[in-house]
Amino acid sequence: MNLILSFLIRLIWLSVIITSGNIQAAPKDTIPAPFRFTDQVRVPLSSLINSDTITVSSINSATAISISGGQYSRNGGAFTSTKSTVINGDRIQVRHTSPASYNTTTNTILTIGGVKDTFSSITIPFATDTTPDAFSFVDQTGVPSGSAITSGNLSVSGINAPSSISIVGGLYSINGGAYVATAGNVNNGDTVTVRLVSSVNPGTTTSAILTIGGVSDTFSVTTLTNSSGGFLLPPASGGNPGFSSEHFSGSANCTMCHNGLTDQNGQDVSIETDWSSTMMANSARDPFWRAKVRSELNRNPHLADIINDKCSRCHAPMANFEAKKAGEPLEILDNGFLNAGHPRHDKALNGVSCTLCHQIKNSTNLGTLARFTGQYEIDASKTIYGPYDNLFPNPMIMNTGYTPTFSAHVKSSKLCATCHNLKTPYVDELGNVLSTTPESEFPEQMPYTEWEHSSYASTTPKSCQQCHMSRANGVAISNRPMWLQGRDDFAIHEFVGANRLMLDVFDKNKQQLGILSANFAETLSKTQSMLSSAASISPVIHSLVSNALDFTLKITSNTGHKLPSAYPSRRVILHVTVKDGQGNIVFESGKVNANGSVEGIDADDDRTVFEPHYDLITSPEQVQVYEAVMGDNQNQVTYTLLRGMTYLKDNRLLPQGFNKATAPADVRVAGDALTDPDFVGGSDEISYRISGLSGANYSVEAELLHQPLAYSFAQDLFTEIDAEIEDFKVLFNASNAKTSRIALRTFSVSR
């Protein structure tokens, strides 16, 4: 018992000692760490002004709080001016009422445990004025019809605070930003322009009313009373194809030896003649290219250097190359290469010419990203690479200074990849470049990579040249010296593609466009032949049961790349017509109008949307169109090349052997076609179901149609009114080659 009592006494004594020690280790502290409020300026008159929140710290006991000239709130509670206490960690906010006078300071002093800070606010220095000075636009007359017309600049003045802005009948832009129709705000000194679309009728006025802070003015434009449909630009120069420069020689200098050639059957296979009527020979004369360059410069003028370089590397490669070597500025339009007075004009107008292609070296990275986008490697040795050995080089050396040399790379697809794989940077809506590396740039056109991912590059090899340059035997590759023996497998320099539209424009407008060739009839005929061999249509199954006609079509591609390929303005339309026994049309999907628009394609009515890919079509409003649709960084449809960041849709017909599951990102399938099990390498199957048919017999006509320039793409370009664009609009509207047939198949279905 004594032991237990002794233990308890010791325990009580120890507790007292510990408690006494703790009290001595933590003396009372009621003076907080200094605190500071953020003062405010330009606050409204006669308003409650709340401070930011401070936190009480560095005290261990409750301490006094008081305020002078305002109120305080503790931990989000009610505001008060009554003295009280706070503890460590409390959050304090103060407030006061601003005076009714301008540029006046109000002070509130908060004291916590003897530590003080003053929260101050200053009212606005003057009365708000959001009513601007009166403004007026200069109206325009004689403008083109159906075109986007932009006003002169308006500078906002007379306000000292943001003012509202709105428009009726058009769009407005602030400080060069995007054109919008939604209401917003402007500041003093801002620059505003207005844009509207002129009437499609002659002599008609269209107006837009802009209102800023209650002040309005009307911008009006009046179309030409009598539109002649003529050209705004004078006839273009054709350039001198007999030029010579440090690295290049014009095509006319090659004609003496390389024209007048025939094959073993006496067929003319003159190299320069066949080349002269191709897109390559006329690449810098192409009015669509010129118009698109102008449009891209308009939409991103701060990127003029990039645009002029990228767009001339392959359309005016010799001018681009020589200008870069000499350290000269690169410019295409206005005072640039296309101006007849420019020192590089002749090189530009000779397009993709003989001494350009035949001097490209077989570098180790030919056919790779390092050499795509016109990054050709040409040296000063004046070596002309060709596909034949056992040459007699002296005549060429003595007459031209160039040395012909055998190199197999001129027969390889990787040579074509130099210009026919093109990647471009992309920008956001403010014009900021978002792409950071060549790999990250937008794959604007990639037919070489498409070919690489097909059986044409592997199991059944066939190069670009084998498809686009037909062959002849028994051809002496030069007419000098006379005793040269004929060579077999001679590649005819016809460079046939699918662009009948532009060839037709060239052929019918030679004087206006500076065209030098008279060989377009032959090239147009060969182009249609290539189109006709590009794909076929065949019915898979069909039936007519319970008043419903069902059939499935198989579209088979015979091309070595996607169809259509390359530039994203191109599309292929499946036009299907069903007629009853009396010849009446009971169903039609994909009808093409004379102006190039297609009934039922969403984009032709509204350029902000696009037609989806279909596996089953049940309505005339549904149209199967094979195309690539560009999307910007906001995943919106765009027709501006420098806004193109991705493809929102790419259901272009795939070449044989193309595996969409393993395709590189640059040539991926995009949109609904990716999950369509019948959309595979080499073909697509699409079904049609037409209900409500009571007849016993129906005929089906299916045709595949090619358009080098989609109606929606053209109409986006035509929203601008520059001379190059207006002149191309005249050419486009006048051409009857906007649409060409690839394939046709008809069959009948009976009950």
Side-chain angles (χ1 to χ4, degrees):
M1 184 66 178
N2 288 336
L3 288 175
I4 295 173
L5 181 60
S6 176
F7 175 77
L8 290 174
I9 290 172
R10 289 176 181 272
L11 183 62
I12 293 170
W13 176 81
L14 182 61
S15 175
V16 169
I17 293 298
I18 292 173
T19 302
S20 175
N22 286 342
I23 292 173
Q24 292 175 2
K28 184 176 181 180
D29 186 355
T30 60
I31 301 175
F35 54 88
R36 186 170 300 280
F37 292 104
T38 301
D39 296 334
Q40 299 182 25
V41 297
R42 302 180 68 87
V43 302
L45 307 182
S46 303
S47 300
L48 279 173
I49 309 300
N50 292 324
S51 74
D52 52 325
T53 300
I54 61 97
T55 301
V56 179
S57 63
S58 300
I59 62 175
N60 57 20
S61 296
T63 192
I65 181 171
S66 62
I67 196 163
S68 173
Q71 298 174 308
Y72 69 88
S73 167
R74 178 184 175 192
N75 297 325
F79 281 90
T80 181
S81 59
T82 303
K83 295 180 180 180
S84 185
T85 59
V86 293
I87 62 173
N88 202 61
D90 278 351
R91 293 174 292 106
I92 308 299
Q93 184 181 36
V94 304
R95 73 179 184 186
H96 56 229
T97 300
S98 62
S101 55
Y102 298 109
N103 199 31
T104 303
T105 301
T106 303
N107 294 317
T108 296
I109 303 172
L110 182 75
T111 303
I112 301 176
V115 177
K116 301 179 180 181
D117 189 52
T118 301
F119 169 58
S120 300
S121 69
I122 305 175
T123 53
I124 56 176
F126 45 72
T128 299
D129 184 358
T130 60
T131 302
D133 297 335
F135 55 87
S136 63
F137 293 104
V138 177
D139 297 335
Q140 299 181 25
T141 59
V143 303
S145 61
S147 300
I149 310 297
T150 303
S151 72
N153 290 335
L154 158 71
S155 182
V156 180
S157 62
I159 61 175
N160 58 22
S163 186
S164 62
I165 181 172
S166 61
I167 196 167
V168 176
L171 306 172
Y172 69 87
S173 167
I174 301 173
N175 298 329
Y179 281 90
V180 297
T182 54
N185 291 297
V186 290
N187 296 302
N188 202 59
D190 281 349
T191 299
V192 179
T193 55
V194 168
R195 176 174 289 178
L196 54 76
V197 177
S198 62
S199 172
V200 296
N201 300 313
T204 303
T205 299
T206 306
S207 300
I209 302 173
L210 182 76
T211 301
I212 301 176
V215 178
S216 300
D217 189 54
T218 301
F219 172 54
S220 297
V221 301
T222 305
T223 52
L224 287 166
T225 302
N226 292 303
S227 179
S228 64
F231 296 110
L232 299 179
L233 294 171
S237 163
N240 175 17
F243 76 89
S244 61
S245 68
E246 181 180 354
H247 295 88
F248 304 106
S249 183
S251 57
N253 301 326
C254 304
T255 59
M256 180 176 69
C257 293
H258 296 292
N259 269 4
L261 307 183
T262 56
D263 65 11
Q264 63 186 11
N265 300 315
Q267 181 71 33
D268 189 306
V269 291
S270 298
I271 294 176
E272 190 274 342
T273 300
D274 284 327
W275 165 87
S276 69
S277 52
T278 66
M279 294 300 301
M280 295 178 74
N282 297 284
S283 56
R285 299 183 181 95
D286 182 342
F288 176 43
W289 172 70
R290 294 182 177 192
K292 193 59 178 158
V293 169
R294 175 65 74 189
S295 173
E296 294 291 321
L297 288 169
N298 287 345
R299 298 178 186 190
N300 285 286
H302 61 294
L303 298 178
D305 290 344
I306 293 175
I307 295 169
N308 282 304
D309 179 25
K310 288 269 187 178
C311 295
S312 62
R313 286 185 197 173
C314 294
H315 277 263
M318 293 181 290
N320 178 289
F321 186 89
E322 296 285 39
K324 281 182 178 176
K325 285 290 185 181
E328 300 167 359
L330 300 177
E331 185 178 6
I332 297 171
L333 305 175
D334 302 322
N335 295 317
F337 296 148
L338 299 185
N339 187 304
H342 194 282
R344 304 296 181 187
H345 178 70
D346 295 333
K347 294 87 177 167
L349 269 291
N350 211 218
V352 186
S353 191
C354 318
T355 55
L356 186 282
C357 288
H358 285 279
Q359 284 194 94
I360 296 176
K361 297 178 65 175
N362 186 23
S363 56
T364 55
N365 50 14
L366 189 67
T368 71
L369 180 62
R371 292 295 168 204
F372 295 163
T373 317
Q375 300 286 0
Y376 30 79
E377 184 179 356
I378 294 173
D379 60 26
S381 67
K382 290 196 170 183
T383 302
I384 294 294
Y385 300 104
Y388 295 110
D389 54 8
N390 298 320
L391 299 171
F392 186 68
N394 288 340
M396 180 178 281
I397 295 173
M398 291 187 297
N399 283 282
T400 69
Y402 291 90
T403 301
T405 304
F406 165 74
S407 182
H409 81 281
V410 298
K411 299 188 291 184
S412 168
S413 295
K414 63 184 180 180
L415 180 69
C416 307
T418 305
C419 278
H420 291 283
N421 256 24
L422 172 62
K423 301 194 73 170
T424 52
Y426 57 88
V427 302
D428 64 16
E429 62 278 12
L430 299 178
N432 301 309
V433 178
L434 300 180
S435 50
T436 56
T437 63
E439 289 82 0
S440 69
E441 290 185 337
F442 175 61
E444 183 194 291
Q445 42 188 304
M446 305 292 288
Y448 174 74
T449 303
E450 295 164 7
W451 169 85
E452 276 192 309
H453 198 60
S454 76
S455 60
Y456 293 89
S458 54
T459 56
T460 55
K462 200 169 187 179
S463 68
C464 307
Q465 294 90 327
Q466 286 175 292
C467 285
H468 294 277
M469 304 172 73
S470 60
R471 302 301 155 129
N473 292 327
V475 179
I477 59 177
S478 173
N479 56 38
R480 286 174 176 79
M482 300 289 291
W483 45 260
L484 285 181
Q485 298 297 308
R487 306 286 190 127
D488 290 341
D489 198 37
F490 173 81
I492 299 175
H493 285 54
E494 59 203 2
F495 300 110
V496 181
N499 198 343
R500 280 190 68 248
L501 168 64
M502 202 53 58
L503 294 173
D504 177 71
V505 168
F506 287 149
D507 188 35
K508 293 177 179 176
N509 299 276
K510 293 185 178 69
Q511 181 179 1
Q512 181 64 27
L513 300 177
I515 302 297
L516 305 180
S517 176
N519 193 53
F520 286 98
E522 178 182 342
T523 304
L524 279 161
S525 176
K526 290 179 177 180
T527 300
Q528 183 56 60
S529 295
M530 171 157 280
L531 279 166
S532 299
S533 66
S536 61
I537 306 172
S538 58
V540 178
I541 56 171
H542 52 74
S543 64
L544 181 58
V545 179
S546 300
N547 294 335
L549 173 63
D550 288 270
F551 57 89
T552 298
L553 302 175
K554 183 176 183 178
I555 315 301
T556 300
S557 172
N558 302 317
T559 65
H561 44 66
K562 292 183 180 181
L563 176 66
S565 188
Y567 195 75
S569 69
R570 302 167 183 175
R571 65 184 182 185
V572 168
I573 301 121
L574 183 55
H575 177 210
V576 173
T577 307
V578 178
K579 297 179 181 179
D580 63 18
Q582 290 72 46
N584 301 310
I585 295 176
V586 298
F587 177 87
E588 187 170 16
S589 164
K591 179 182 178 181
V592 181
N593 299 312
N595 65 359
S597 64
V598 180
E599 295 184 12
I601 289 185
D602 293 343
D604 288 0
D605 294 321
D606 179 358
R607 293 193 301 276
T608 66
V609 298
F610 59 90
E611 191 76 6
H613 172 83
Y614 295 102
D615 190 39
L616 172 66
I617 284 180
T618 60
S619 165
E621 295 302 312
Q622 299 170 323
V623 181
Q624 187 75 314
V625 51
Y626 300 104
E627 61 184 346
V629 177
M630 294 190 296
D632 61 21
N633 61 300
Q634 298 171 319
N635 281 323
Q636 301 297 312
V637 174
T638 185
Y639 296 91
T640 303
L641 296 177
L642 281 180
R643 290 301 312 279
M645 186 193 80
T646 187
Y647 285 109
L648 303 177
K649 172 191 177 184
D650 186 355
N651 70 331
R652 293 174 294 170
L653 290 162
L654 305 174
Q656 293 285 345
F658 190 104
N659 185 339
K660 63 184 181 182
T662 61
D666 282 345
V667 294
R668 67 186 180 91
V669 175
D672 295 338
L674 184 62
T675 56
D676 179 356
D678 299 319
F679 184 85
V680 296
S683 66
D684 178 37
E685 291 188 10
I686 178 169
S687 300
Y688 289 77
R689 178 172 302 139
I690 305 159
S691 302
L693 301 180
S694 58
N697 301 287
Y698 292 92
S699 62
V700 179
E701 178 180 281
E703 60 176 346
L704 206 60
L705 303 173
H706 179 265
Q707 289 186 332
L709 178 53
Y711 179 82
S712 54
F713 205 103
Q715 298 312 304
D716 176 80
L717 179 62
F718 297 155
T719 59
E720 300 175 51
I721 59 171
D722 298 85
E724 294 87 356
I725 296 170
E726 286 293 309
D727 281 5
F728 176 65
K729 183 178 180 180
V730 172
L731 297 167
F732 176 77
N733 289 340
S735 177
N736 60 4
K738 300 180 187 69
T739 307
S740 300
R741 178 185 286 171
I742 295 175
L744 172 69
R745 184 63 182 265
T746 61
F747 58 94
S748 298
V749 184
S750 302
R751 291 187 184 276

